[in-house]
Amino acid sequence: MAGLNGDPFLGIDDNIEKLQYNNNSKEAIDKEGLVVGIGEDSSNNKNNNQGGEKDMAGNSIHRSGSRPQLDLSKAEIQGNSEERDPTILLPNQTDDISHLALDIGGSLIKLVYFSRHEDQSVDDKRKKTVKERLGISNGNRRNFPVLGGRLHFVKFETSKLNECLDFISSKQLHRGGIDSHHWNSEASANENAVIKATGGGAYKFADLFKERLGVSIDKEDEMDCLVAGANFLLKAIRHEAFTHMEGHKEFVQIDHNDLFPYLLVNIGSGVSIIKVDGDGKFQRVSGTNVGGGTYWGLGRLLTKCNSFDELLELSQRGDNRTIDMLVGDIYGGMDYSKIGLSASTIASSFGKAISDKKELQDYRPEDISLSLLRMISYNIGQISYLNALRFGLKRIFFGGFFIRGHAYTMDTISFAVHFWSKGEAQAMFLRHEGFLGAVGAFMSYQKHGLDDLMVHHLVERFPMGAPYTGGKIHGPPLGDLNEKISWMEKFVLKGTEITAPVPMAPPGTTGLGGFEVPSSRGATLRSDASALNVGVLHLVPTLEVFPLLADPKMYEPNTIDLSDHKELEYWFTVLSGHLPDLVDKAVASEGGTDDAKRRGDAFARAFSAHLARLMEEPAAYGKLGLANLLELREECLREFQFLDAYRSIKQRENEASLAVLPDLLLELDHMDEETRLLTLIEGVLAANIFDWGSRACVDLYHKGTIIEIYRMSRNKMQRPWRVDDFDLFKERMLGSEGKKPRPHKRALLFVDNSGADIVLGMLPLARELLRRGTEVVLVANSLPALNDVTAMELPDIVAEAAKHCDVLRRAAEAGGLLVDAMNNNSLDGSRGNSSSVPLMVVENGCGSPCIDLRQVSSELAAAAKHADLVILEGMGRALHTNFNARFKCEALKLAMVKNQRLAEKLIKGKIYDCVCRYEPAT
C-alpha cells in the first residue's frame, strides 16, 4: 500500500488542483524494434536535446535523462555475426535500457517487468512467398518498440526489500533482462543506469538501490502513474473490471469510447479519490486519511496480528454483532422502517464497547478485525459515492492493495455504494488493482510504446506460480523448469485427488447483504481470492481483430456458458478424465524417458491445480469460457516443455491418409457436379469424426484404424443432418434454374485435425474450390494443440498430396507452398479445368483447439481482406467457438458432434450428429 503523507484529514496534500501530461514525442524504430530517437522532437522534449549527438546516419538524436533511449552510433556485432542473436556492442550508449518499474509502498513493493520472447523467426521461403502474395511486408508490421514479449507482475513485502533486490539482480532486470540479446548487458559500470519507480519508497530506498544494484531511481509522480496504469489496463485488458456483490463476481466490458469520465479510488495507506477525464487528464478531488494503514495500524494494536494478511484472515472468522451496535439494539430488536433502516443495520461501529463492561482481552480478535474492516470499508464506499454524486459519475473504480482481492472487502464497499446511491452508482474493481502505479511507472518509459497497444495485442497466460502470487505469498513466480517440477512434486496425493499448495476452501459466498448481520461472516472466502490471480501478459503486436466479423463489439467466441456451475463441473470432469491419456501421449512423444515421465507427472498435477482453483472460484482468472479452459491445458503442456504431445500420432495418421488419397480423388472425378459436392461435404464431416480430444472417439479408435473409422463414418452418412443447410450451399455453388453463380474470389478454410480430417476431408474440398477459380487459404494453428494440424506441418502435407494431383500441384506452386517446382510426372486424370489460382497456408495466431477471432495473426487478417467465403471446420472452431458468430461474408460451419453434452446443449441432438450450417453474407 502506498504511503501518502499530508493533511491528516485528506490523506495527501489537497493543494494538487489538476495534474495532466501530454506525450507528443516522435520516435523512430529500427528493424530490431529499438528506439533510435530520430526525427523532429515534440515541444515537450526540445529542451532536453543536449550534446547534439548524432546517429549512424548523421541525424540528431534527442535524448532525455528520464526517458532512456538507445544510441546506435558505432554499434558492432561482437563475435560471429552468423550466430543467432549475437551480442551487439553499443560503445556510445550512456543510458541503460531498463525493462523494470516499481511501486514501492509502505507495506508492499509492486514490480512490473518485461521479458522478450525468444526470436524464433526462420528463413522460410514458403512463408515469404505467401506474405508477398497477401501484400504483407515487414514494413507493414506495427512500429512497436516491443515486438513480442511478456509483462510480469510480482509483489514483495516492503519489509523484505532485500528479497526484491535479489530477485531483480538474479534476472538482471536492471540491465535489460537476462533474455535480452540486442545490446551489451555488461552495464554494471554504467553510472547512468536508471529504473523507474513511484511511491514513497522510491525516495526512501533510492540510496539502497544505488548501493546494491548500481542504478539510479527515476522517481515518477504517484498520481500520474496511478491514472496512466488504470487507463491502460481498462483499455487493454478485456476483462479487467468487475463488480462484486453478495459473493457474486461479474465482469464488465468497458467501451473504450465511453470510458471517461470515471472516479478512481486508490486505497493505499490513505485514500485518494481522483476524477479521470481522459489520458493524462485528471484531478484529485478528495481523499481520506482513513484507509488501509488505518485498518492495519489499529488492527495491529487491537489484535496483535503480525501481518496485514493475518488480520484479513481473522476477519473471515469474525462476528461483528458482539462489538457493533445495531439498529435493533437501540429499538429493542425492531427496525426503523420509516427511514429505511432494518434492525440488523449497523448504527454505530464498535458502539457496544461503550456499555459492555469488558476489557480488550475479553473480545475475540476475529470480531474486532471484522468490525474494523466493515467500518473502514463502508466509510470509503460512502465517501466515494458522495464524490461521484458531486460530479455526476456513475462508475467508480476501486484499486490499491487494501482490497487485495478480498471478497468480503469488495462486497462491503459495493454495498455501501449501492446503499447510498439507491442502486444508481456502481462500484467496480480491477483485477490488477495493486499494480496500477507500477504499470504507470513502466509506461513512463516512452520507448515501450504501450500507449498504442490495443486489447487484441494482449494475451493473458497463467503459468504455475502466477495464480498463487497473492495473499501470504510475497515473492517471485516460479520460473525455472526444475523449480516448477520440484514445487509440483511437493503436492500431497490423496488417492486420486491432488491438493494444491495453497489450501483450497470449499465453494461458497459470504451471503453478504450489506450492513445486515447475516453478512458478518465470510469464513469460506480466502484473503487472496479474486483480483490477485493475475497472470503474465503476452504482448503480441502482430495480432489483429478478424476483419470479417460482422460486429466485433457483439462477438462472443464461447458458445458454452460456464457460469452455470453444473456446466462447469461437467467440463472439468471431462478434462480431468482425459488427463491420464494426454499424459501418456505427452510422455511417449518425448521417448518415454525418465525426464519426460517426471515432467508429465508435474504437468498433470499443475493442470489439476488450475482446475481445482477454478472450481473454487471460476472467475479467478477472468471471464471463463470453454475455449479458455482448453487453451489453459495447452499452455500448461508447453510450460512443462511438451511442445507437441501428438507429434508421432499425427505423422502416422497423415501417412495412412495420404496413401488412400489418390483413390478418393479418382472416385470424386468420376462423379457429376452435384453428387461430387455432396460427397465432398460428407467427406469433410466423416473425416472430422476422429478427435483425440473426445473420449468417445478415443474409445472408437481402439476398434479400428483411422481409415477404417473414416470409411465407416462415410458409409453411415444420411441426410437430413441435425443442422442441414447443404441445399442452400449447393444452390450458392451450383446455381439454380440454369443460372451459373459467380465463383468465390477467395475462401478461408479453417482446418482442424491431422490425418483423415485434413487429407481426406478438407484438401479435396479445397481442390474443388480451386478448380472453380477460387483462391484458397488454409488456416491452421500456429502452435500444436491435441492432434490439430499446424501451419508449419501443412506445406509438407500439401506437397505429398500434390504428387498425385495436378490441380493441387499448380495451386501450391502459385501459392508458394512448393518452393522447388515439381516435375510433371504424375497425373490424376482430372477432367475439369486445371487452375492456376493459388493455394496458400497461413497461421491463425493461436495454439488451441478453439479460436477467438478477436485475436488472429496479421497474416490471417491480411488474407481475410479479399475473402468472400469462410469455412470453419471441427468442434473447436465451429461449435465450441464461433457457432453463433456472424460474418460480413458467406460462412459455412462443418462439424461432427463428438460430445454428448455439446450435442444436447447446442443442437438438441446426440453424439455423431452432423452440423452443416450455411450463412449468407450479412
Side-chain angles (χ1 to χ4, degrees):
M1 292 173 290
L4 305 177
N5 301 315
D7 192 314
F9 294 103
L10 293 175
I12 186 171
D13 191 351
D14 202 36
N15 289 326
I16 305 175
E17 291 296 330
K18 193 167 186 177
L19 305 173
Q20 61 183 29
Y21 60 89
N22 293 298
N23 175 14
N24 298 316
S25 62
K26 298 177 181 178
E27 297 171 331
I29 313 300
D30 76 339
K31 65 180 180 179
E32 293 296 333
L34 306 177
V35 174
V36 184
I38 303 172
E40 195 173 325
D41 205 358
S42 69
S43 58
N44 287 348
N45 291 330
K46 283 182 178 177
N47 295 332
N48 292 325
N49 181 23
Q50 299 175 359
E53 301 160 75
K54 306 287 183 180
D55 74 338
M56 290 181 285
N59 297 303
S60 176
I61 300 178
H62 303 286
R63 308 176 63 74
S64 166
S66 64
R67 294 185 172 89
Q69 298 177 342
L70 284 182
D71 185 348
L72 301 181
S73 59
K74 297 184 180 180
E76 61 180 358
I77 294 177
Q78 182 184 42
N80 183 3
S81 61
E82 299 300 319
E83 289 180 3
R84 179 184 176 186
D85 299 324
T87 299
I88 298 177
L89 290 177
L90 304 177
N92 294 331
Q93 178 64 32
T94 56
D95 291 331
D96 191 25
I97 298 297
S98 176
H99 281 58
L100 162 73
L102 303 101
D103 179 359
I104 311 175
S107 302
L108 293 172
I109 300 171
K110 287 76 67 177
L111 185 151
V112 173
Y113 72 93
F114 174 80
S115 63
R116 290 180 182 272
H117 283 312
E118 290 188 15
D119 183 11
Q120 301 191 3
S121 61
V122 293
D123 184 18
D124 190 336
K125 293 181 181 178
R126 292 168 175 162
K127 200 167 185 178
K128 183 179 179 181
T129 303
V130 171
K131 282 189 173 184
E132 289 175 353
R133 178 168 284 279
L134 294 176
I136 303 174
S137 66
N138 290 333
N140 285 342
R141 297 186 71 180
R142 291 177 177 273
N143 288 327
F144 287 113
V146 176
L147 291 181
R150 301 168 294 278
L151 207 58
H152 305 256
F153 302 86
V154 187
K155 70 184 179 71
F156 295 85
E157 292 178 348
T158 305
S159 61
K160 298 178 180 178
L161 175 61
N162 285 330
E163 291 183 10
C164 179
L165 294 171
D166 290 341
F167 177 67
I168 294 171
S169 179
S170 68
K171 286 187 172 289
Q172 296 290 291
L173 299 179
H174 56 308
R175 298 179 183 175
I178 58 177
D179 58 349
S180 173
H181 305 287
H182 301 291
W183 54 81
N184 178 19
S185 63
E186 297 178 3
S188 56
N190 183 0
E191 295 181 358
N192 294 323
V194 173
I195 60 175
K196 299 283 189 177
T198 189
Y203 298 86
K204 184 176 181 180
F205 301 114
D207 291 342
L208 186 57
F209 272 81
K210 187 70 173 179
E211 177 186 336
R212 286 284 308 276
L213 301 177
V215 299
S216 299
I217 294 290
D218 190 2
K219 305 168 187 67
E220 292 293 321
D221 181 81
E222 194 161 355
M223 293 294 167
D224 285 350
C225 291
L226 282 173
V227 174
N231 285 346
F232 168 72
L233 291 166
L234 286 168
K235 290 179 181 179
I237 309 299
R238 183 167 284 112
H239 298 123
E240 175 66 23
F242 61 93
T243 59
H244 207 291
M245 283 286 286
E246 299 190 6
H248 178 67
K249 184 176 184 179
E250 184 174 339
F251 288 94
V252 179
Q253 184 61 48
I254 303 296
D255 184 348
H256 300 167
N257 297 319
D258 190 36
L259 173 60
F260 306 112
Y262 67 84
L263 203 66
L264 176 62
V265 181
N266 189 65
I267 312 174
S269 299
V271 181
S272 285
I273 300 177
I274 307 163
K275 179 176 178 284
V276 182
D277 294 303
D279 290 320
K281 299 176 182 178
F282 59 89
Q283 178 183 7
R284 185 181 185 276
V285 295
S286 186
T288 172
N289 61 330
V290 179
T294 312
Y295 177 59
W296 173 212
L298 279 176
R300 185 171 179 273
L301 290 174
L302 295 174
T303 67
K304 307 301 181 185
C305 283
N306 295 315
S307 72
F308 189 94
D309 290 306
E310 183 183 351
L311 189 63
L312 275 179
E313 288 179 7
L314 278 180
S315 71
Q316 295 179 187
R317 302 190 297 272
D319 184 348
N320 69 308
R321 292 174 297 182
T322 63
I323 297 177
D324 291 341
M325 182 180 294
L326 309 180
V327 169
D329 294 325
I330 299 174
Y331 289 91
M334 303 292 289
D335 59 22
Y336 194 171
S337 57
K338 184 177 180 179
I339 58 174
L341 298 178
S342 67
S344 55
T345 299
I346 297 176
S348 174
S349 293
F350 288 88
K352 282 186 179 176
I354 299 172
S355 55
D356 289 342
K357 296 181 179 179
K358 295 180 181 179
E359 299 298 326
L360 178 60
Q361 59 269 22
D362 296 327
Y363 292 97
R364 295 172 66 238
E366 294 89 339
D367 301 339
I368 294 174
S369 176
L370 179 60
S371 182
L372 186 61
L373 178 63
R374 298 186 73 180
M375 178 183 76
I376 293 172
S377 297
Y378 282 142
N379 181 258
I380 293 171
Q382 182 178 11
I383 292 175
S384 300
Y385 164 67
L386 291 174
N387 277 280
L389 180 65
R390 174 185 167 197
F391 293 101
L393 304 177
K394 300 295 184 183
R395 289 184 302 200
I396 310 172
F397 294 103
F398 291 85
F401 261 115
F402 166 72
I403 299 170
R404 206 166 297 202
H406 190 233
Y408 189 78
T409 305
M410 291 187 288
D411 274 353
T412 307
I413 291 174
S414 293
F415 183 82
V417 172
H418 186 272
F419 180 88
W420 292 109
S421 71
K422 293 181 172 59
E424 291 186 4
Q426 196 173 36
M428 287 184 279
F429 305 91
L430 305 174
R431 293 184 59 241
H432 294 79
E433 56 176 23
F435 290 100
L436 303 185
V439 170
F442 187 86
M443 291 180 66
S444 65
Y445 294 107
Q446 287 185 338
K447 67 179 185 300
H448 290 307
L450 291 185
D451 286 331
D452 295 322
L453 287 175
M454 301 293 288
V455 64
H456 53 269
H457 296 140
L458 296 167
V459 182
E460 190 172 23
R461 306 292 188 207
F462 290 90
M464 283 313 301
Y468 304 113
T469 53
K472 288 185 175 180
I473 300 177
H474 301 283
L478 302 174
D480 179 74
L481 179 63
N482 287 326
E483 182 184 353
K484 291 181 180 181
I485 294 175
S486 298
W487 194 45
M488 300 312 302
E489 288 174 341
K490 294 177 182 178
F491 277 26
V492 180
L493 293 176
K494 296 180 180 179
T496 59
E497 296 181 2
I498 302 176
T499 60
V502 177
M504 298 290 184
T509 67
T510 58
L512 189 68
F515 298 119
E516 311 303 318
V517 170
S519 67
S520 62
R521 301 181 182 275
T524 60
L525 288 167
R526 296 181 349 193
S527 61
D528 65 334
S530 303
L532 289 190
N533 293 302
V534 297
V536 176
L537 283 182
H538 288 234
L539 281 60
V540 191
T542 53
L543 291 179
E544 302 286 346
V545 178
F546 189 59
L548 293 178
L549 287 175
D551 187 353
K553 290 184 179 180
M554 297 299 294
Y555 171 76
E556 170 55 49
N558 289 290
T559 308
I560 300 296
D561 182 9
L562 295 186
S563 60
D564 181 346
H565 187 75
K566 290 184 178 179
E567 195 73 35
L568 184 67
E569 190 172 9
Y570 169 80
W571 288 103
F572 279 10
T573 302
V574 169
L575 292 175
S576 298
H578 185 245
L579 195 55
D581 182 71
L582 179 57
V583 172
D584 289 344
K585 297 294 184 298
V587 172
S589 73
E590 300 282 330
T593 63
D594 289 341
D595 174 67
K597 291 177 181 176
R598 187 169 177 242
R599 286 186 285 119
D601 183 59
F603 156 71
R605 298 182 184 193
F607 185 56
S608 296
H610 279 297
L611 292 181
R613 181 71 186 94
L614 290 169
M615 274 299 292
E616 176 195 6
E617 188 185 354
Y621 300 173
K623 188 176 181 181
L624 186 65
L626 183 56
N628 306 113
L629 273 180
L630 297 175
E631 191 169 19
L632 179 62
R633 179 183 61 188
E634 301 303 325
E635 282 293 323
C636 205
L637 272 171
R638 287 188 278 270
E639 186 177 1
F640 290 93
Q641 295 186 359
F642 292 108
L643 303 182
D644 192 351
Y646 290 83
R647 184 189 305 115
S648 59
I649 292 174
K650 290 192 293 183
Q651 291 173 348
R652 187 168 65 247
E653 292 177 355
N654 286 337
E655 291 171 2
S657 301
L658 285 164
V660 301
L661 178 62
D663 291 338
L664 174 62
L665 297 182
L666 189 61
E667 178 185 346
L668 288 167
D669 288 336
H670 283 83
M671 296 177 182
D672 63 74
E673 197 174 37
E674 184 173 336
T675 304
R676 185 169 66 244
L677 184 61
L678 176 59
T679 304
L680 286 166
I681 298 301
E682 287 180 338
V684 171
L685 295 171
N688 189 239
I689 189 173
F690 191 75
D691 192 331
W692 279 98
S694 165
R695 171 55 57 189
C697 290
V698 172
D699 294 339
L700 188 65
Y701 182 72
H702 297 305
K703 300 176 183 178
T705 67
I706 186 70
I707 300 302
E708 288 171 342
I709 295 170
Y710 165 70
R711 286 173 177 158
M712 177 196 70
S713 180
R714 273 195 69 179
N715 292 334
K716 290 186 177 181
M717 279 285 163
Q718 290 186 353
R719 295 183 63 199
W721 302 313
R722 177 58 61 174
V723 177
D724 193 339
D725 292 336
F726 173 76
D727 290 336
L728 291 174
F729 182 65
K730 180 185 69 174
E731 183 177 340
R732 169 61 185 88
M733 294 293 290
L734 306 182
S736 61
E737 298 179 355
K739 295 181 180 179
K740 280 287 185 181
R742 60 170 180 79
H744 294 95
K745 183 177 181 181
R746 177 182 291 171
L748 304 180
L749 275 60
F750 288 76
V751 298
D752 191 7
N753 304 309
S754 296
D757 202 344
I758 178 64
V759 176
L760 304 181
M762 293 300 279
L763 272 185
L765 179 59
R767 176 176 176 263
E768 180 70 18
L769 291 166
L770 290 166
R771 291 172 65 171
R772 294 174 178 276
T774 300
E775 294 183 356
V776 174
V777 180
L778 300 176
V779 184
N781 269 14
S782 299
L783 296 173
L786 290 174
N787 61 319
D788 290 359
V789 68
T790 67
M792 186 68 73
E793 297 162 345
L794 260 180
D796 290 334
I797 294 174
V798 172
E800 285 298 314
K803 291 178 181 179
H804 310 286
C805 174
D806 279 351
V807 174
L808 289 176
R809 178 178 59 80
R810 283 190 286 269
E813 288 175 0
L817 296 182
L818 304 181
V819 178
D820 299 318
M822 303 172 64
N823 294 325
N824 188 14
N825 57 6
S826 60
L827 298 175
D828 64 345
S830 300
R831 295 186 302 174
N833 294 327
S834 62
S835 172
S836 60
V837 292
L839 172 63
M840 296 172 280
V841 171
V842 300
E843 57 182 281
N844 59 21
C846 76
S848 167
C850 302
I851 185 169
D852 183 343
L853 293 175
R854 293 171 299 193
Q855 293 180 302
V856 302
S857 71
S858 56
E859 290 178 16
L860 175 52
K865 290 179 181 177
H866 299 291
D868 50 4
L869 175 63
V870 168
I871 299 179
L872 290 160
E873 183 236 358
M875 284 210 309
R877 293 158 188 81
L879 297 184
H880 289 145
T881 53
N882 301 305
F883 186 68
N884 298 318
R886 294 293 177 264
F887 300 94
K888 296 176 182 177
C889 66
E890 298 170 51
L892 182 66
K893 300 170 185 178
L894 302 169
M896 180 173 282
V897 184
K898 292 150 287 189
N899 178 277
Q900 185 61 45
R901 187 82 166 195
L902 191 67
E904 294 171 354
K905 285 278 184 179
L906 199 60
I907 61 173
K908 311 300 180 185
K910 58 184 183 297
I911 196 167
Y912 301 132
D913 272 340
C914 293
V915 172
C916 175
R917 187 172 186 175
Y918 172 71
E919 298 160 353
T922 56

